[in-house]
Amino acid sequence: GENVEQHPSTLSVQEGDSAVIKCTYSDSASNYFPWYKQELGKGPQLIIDIRSNVGEKKDQRIAVTLNKTAKHFSLHITETQPEDSAVYFCAASTSGTYKYIFGTGTRLKVLA
Amino acid sequence: SAVISQKPSRDICQRGTSLTIQCQVDSQVTMMFWYRQQPGQSLTLIATANQGSEATYESGFVIDKFPISRPNLTFSTLTVSNMSPEDSSIYLCSVEKSGGETQYFGPGTRLLVL
């Protein structure tokens, strides 16, 4: 069946360093890839998304890259801050199905 | 985006009882979804709440255990029936607005079953 692998499961970085989280999807029909940040005690919050007709998208300190051939996409956070500490989930979806396949999550800890 | 509220935010229940979780959105939305997030785990879709018709359940989830209502375009409920400790999870509703692919999540309901 369809699945999304996400690595690493945990990631610790020093404040100011960059963090990279990678996801690989199996369904070649997937064409929409959102990223969510979930802080402790809260619901997932959309932070950035990318569609398959684009290779990269940036929003301030956050960027996402997509390699359709290899079927993987990555989240890049630059100049990390302690408030970036959270669990990050990637997801893959196919237009018209309304169904997200989520990755297993990455717990990011930014050390001050 | 959308502003989504869930009630209750958390609850502790006894096994064998049922709990109904409410999800309210600040605007009309086409699609509403219910997810389960077990402790330390990812999100698993339970069902799609369809307005005016029965919910569509994912494999492994059944209507008798998780009855869902969607009386209008801004509100849905999920009931967790005949609860056991294995039902202890975070239950999340999400919405997708008309013409979009993006899902927005509510704050979640944290359920502990003793």
Side-chain angles (χ1 to χ4, degrees):
Chain A
E2 304 126 352
N3 82 303
V4 175
E5 293 185 2
Q6 184 172 346
H7 298 282
S9 57
T10 60
L11 178 60
S12 292
V13 299
Q14 289 292 329
E15 182 178 0
D17 287 351
S18 296
V20 180
I21 303 170
K22 298 181 179 181
C23 289
T24 303
Y25 59 98
S26 60
D27 186 356
S28 55
S30 297
N31 57 3
Y32 176 64
F33 307 93
W35 284 90
Y36 290 87
K37 174 184 181 182
Q38 187 174 26
E39 296 175 288
L40 194 62
K42 298 185 178 179
Q45 177 188 8
L46 179 75
I47 55 172
I48 197 167
D49 58 7
I50 192 168
R51 289 177 171 79
S52 60
N53 58 347
V54 174
E56 182 173 359
K57 185 176 177 181
K58 203 171 182 180
D59 182 3
Q60 299 182 357
R61 296 187 296 109
I62 295 172
V64 56
T65 59
L66 171 65
N67 183 329
K68 282 169 51 181
T69 304
K71 291 193 279 189
H72 66 69
F73 56 111
S74 299
L75 177 71
H76 304 253
I77 305 174
T78 59
E79 301 172 23
T80 53
Q81 301 165 3
E83 49 266 39
D84 294 329
S85 296
V87 179
Y88 291 81
F89 290 98
C90 64
S93 176
T94 305
S95 293
T97 66
Y98 310 110
K99 191 169 177 179
Y100 282 14
I101 306 297
F102 280 91
T104 47
T106 296
R107 184 173 299 277
L108 173 65
K109 184 179 284 189
V110 180
L111 307 171
Chain B
S1 64
V3 177
I4 305 164
S5 61
Q6 286 185 233
K7 289 182 182 178
S9 59
R10 58 178 65 243
D11 208 341
I12 301 173
C13 300
Q14 297 297 319
R15 69 170 67 212
T17 62
S18 297
L19 176 72
T20 296
I21 302 167
Q22 299 179 4
C23 179
Q24 179 76 54
V25 194
D26 68 336
S27 58
Q28 293 185 344
V29 295
T30 308
M31 309 292 290
M32 294 183 78
F33 307 90
W34 286 99
Y35 287 83
R36 182 174 72 184
Q37 186 178 26
Q38 294 179 302
Q41 303 295 313
S42 187
L43 289 79
T44 302
L45 181 64
I46 297 172
T48 303
N50 302 309
Q51 196 264 330
S53 64
E54 271 195 9
T56 304
Y57 289 84
E58 296 300 306
S59 175
F61 298 97
V62 295
I63 187 171
D64 289 347
K65 177 67 176 177
F66 297 102
I68 287 170
S69 78
R70 175 118 190 249
N72 56 51
L73 293 175
T74 63
F75 185 79
S76 178
T77 67
L78 169 76
T79 300
V80 186
S81 303
N82 187 24
M83 288 183 286
S84 66
E86 292 71 35
D87 294 319
S88 298
S89 287
I90 301 171
Y91 291 87
L92 295 151
C93 79
S94 75
V95 305
E96 183 179 303
K97 303 184 88 166
S98 174
E101 296 166 293
T102 305
Q103 291 186 28
Y104 301 96
F105 285 85
T109 295
R110 282 143 187 85
L111 172 62
L112 177 63
V113 184
L114 302 177

